Amino acid sequence: MKILVTGGAGFIGSHLCAKLLDLGHVVYCLDNLCTGSVENLEDMRDNPRFRFILADATAPITLEVDAVAHLASPASPVDYQRMPVQTMLVNSLGTYQSLEVARKNSARYLLASTSEVYGDPLKVPQDEDYPGNVNPVGPRACYDESKRFAEALTATYRRLYGLETVILRIFNTYGPRMRREDGRVVPNFIQQALAGIPLTVYGDGTQTRSFCYVDDLVEGICLALESEKAVGQVINLGNDREMTVLELARLVKEMLDSPSDITFLPLPEDDPRRRKPDLTRAREILGWEPVTGLEEGLRRTMEWFRG
Ligand code: UDP
């Protein structure tokens, strides 16, 4: 297949491009490099089936493709609050432009949505039928609400044009190629522990997250791109081992045998209390299962940050 990956130079996008090339596909990687980087593409640059397009996903583009995976968007709270309007535009106008590419080609369309559409969820674990609990005017709204709009637009293209769409709600993902200044909890804790400076736990650290290793996630995305059963579906992808942020801090410290203290800083506004995916649908429809244990995934990520 010929596949357009928007946000292909980013953390998840670059892992996806590499995997799609491995599977024998032709990959058009589109990115404006606002959070992505060409270094992430180094191993692919010379592959004749790979093409990098330096462009903003909000601009119209003409391409012949069999599938579109729309991943372009800042995804870390630090990034999207630094670029709130850009984030809202790539998830609205960028979703429209990439849907149009898919519609004109009768191509499969995959939207990389997020667990953030559940907001601060009142239901645990979160299944795909849970409509969420989102503050539409809070500091996270630029991301949450624009991703919700992206889902609504994608669902509308499915109804209106019969487009083959798949909406994936991606939960917390970590691994090599996360930026050092990304601001998310895994890169922060690993770098702090390596430097011997205090690990910054926000709030009292009792809030929970469930962390998925990037290779597992990318495997799920590839299955969703090819599966007939996935068409028209909304599917959670992530890992369902839930833990508190404080437990994660202790684990990272222990694994790196770090002398760092743990310091407690104010909890950011609207920080979700609990997050854990219900993966029943991913298991049933995609036959997918996250297989990398947290310790193993962290070990590989720590190696990368050391390098
Ligand atoms: N967090 C933290 N210390 C950090 C960075 C994040 O305690 O240095 C917390 C944050 O408040 C949240 C969780 O870790 O409760 C996950 O945050 P992250 O930014 O990784 O992603 P989110 O799940 O909030 O999108």
Side-chain angles (χ1 to χ4, degrees):
M1 287 203 287
K2 288 186 199 155
I3 305 175
L4 167 64
V5 179
T6 74
F11 160 51
I12 296 175
S14 63
H15 285 280
L16 177 62
C17 288
K19 175 84 181 180
L20 292 173
L21 289 171
D22 279 352
L23 292 170
H25 299 295
V26 171
V27 175
Y28 299 108
C29 163
L30 185 145
D31 209 299
N32 69 355
L33 302 179
C34 78
T35 56
S37 103
V38 282
E39 280 144 47
N40 290 340
L41 307 173
E42 235 162 56
D43 298 343
M44 301 168 236
R45 244 186 3 204
D46 299 329
N47 189 317
R49 284 183 284 106
F50 179 76
R51 188 173 134 205
F52 177 63
I53 304 165
L54 178 62
D56 197 293
T58 58
I61 181 160
T62 306
L63 271 180
E64 274 180 29
V65 289
D66 305 297
V68 176
H70 182 40
L71 276 73
S73 173
S76 143
V78 169
D79 287 336
Y80 63 65
Q81 289 175 46
R82 183 168 54 86
M83 297 178 276
V85 174
Q86 225 175 329
T87 301
M88 297 192 84
L89 288 177
V90 78
N91 287 319
S92 51
L93 192 50
T95 301
Y96 166 71
Q97 299 294 9
S98 53
L99 277 164
E100 279 293 291
V101 174
R103 184 182 67 78
K104 287 174 187 160
N105 286 279
S106 303
R108 171 77 58 100
Y109 185 83
L110 188 144
L111 174 71
S113 185
T114 167
S115 55
E116 284 281 328
V117 300
Y118 300 121
D120 187 7
L122 305 175
K123 184 178 186 190
V124 183
Q126 293 88 50
D127 60 74
E128 293 86 348
D129 293 329
Y130 176 56
N133 176 40
V134 176
N135 175 1
V137 292
R140 299 174 86 103
C142 58
Y143 186 63
D144 301 12
E145 292 291 14
S146 64
K147 284 289 190 184
R148 288 169 70 95
F149 175 86
E151 289 201 7
L153 192 62
T154 301
T156 299
Y157 267 63
R158 167 110 193 108
R159 280 191 203 100
L160 209 56
Y161 304 113
L163 196 69
E164 287 191 14
T165 59
V166 188
I167 295 172
L168 296 179
R169 292 190 180 143
I170 299 173
F171 282 65
N172 294 66
T173 301
Y174 68 98
R177 297 194 192 141
M178 290 186 97
R179 280 158 43 244
R180 288 176 194 280
E181 65 281 17
D182 172 290
R184 279 179 283 192
V185 68
V186 171
N188 274 10
F189 284 176
I190 292 178
Q191 291 177 101
Q192 289 160 346
L194 285 173
I197 60 176
L199 273 62
T200 52
V201 168
Y202 302 159
D204 61 6
T206 56
Q207 71 272 34
T208 70
R209 294 294 186 272
S210 313
F211 298 97
C212 184
Y213 188 64
V214 65
D215 288 0
D216 289 349
L217 183 88
V218 163
E219 181 74 32
I221 297 177
C222 290
L223 288 170
L225 267 171
E226 307 227 0
S227 153
E228 283 313 309
K229 282 199 290 184
V231 172
Q233 296 284 347
V234 179
I235 305 172
N236 287 338
L237 284 186
N239 191 304
D240 49 9
R241 173 175 168 193
E242 184 186 17
M243 69 191 308
T244 68
V245 166
L246 190 55
E247 280 167 344
L248 177 72
R250 292 194 175 122
L251 177 63
V252 169
K253 250 171 70 70
E254 185 193 305
M255 285 181 66
L256 288 170
D257 198 16
S258 167
S260 292
D261 293 329
I262 291 177
T263 181
F264 293 87
L265 298 178
L267 188 69
E269 194 182 335
D270 289 342
D271 198 282
R273 283 290 316 154
R274 285 188 69 184
R275 189 181 284 156
K276 174 186 177 173
D278 182 323
L279 297 177
T280 310
R281 207 178 275 180
R283 291 188 174 104
E284 283 177 5
I285 290 179
L286 304 176
W288 174 85
E289 185 78 40
V291 294
T292 311
L294 181 63
E295 287 76 3
E296 174 57 22
L298 284 176
R299 200 186 53 70
R300 292 187 213 163
T301 311
M302 287 164 177
E303 250 169 54
W304 187 81
F305 273 102
R306 269 208 186 96

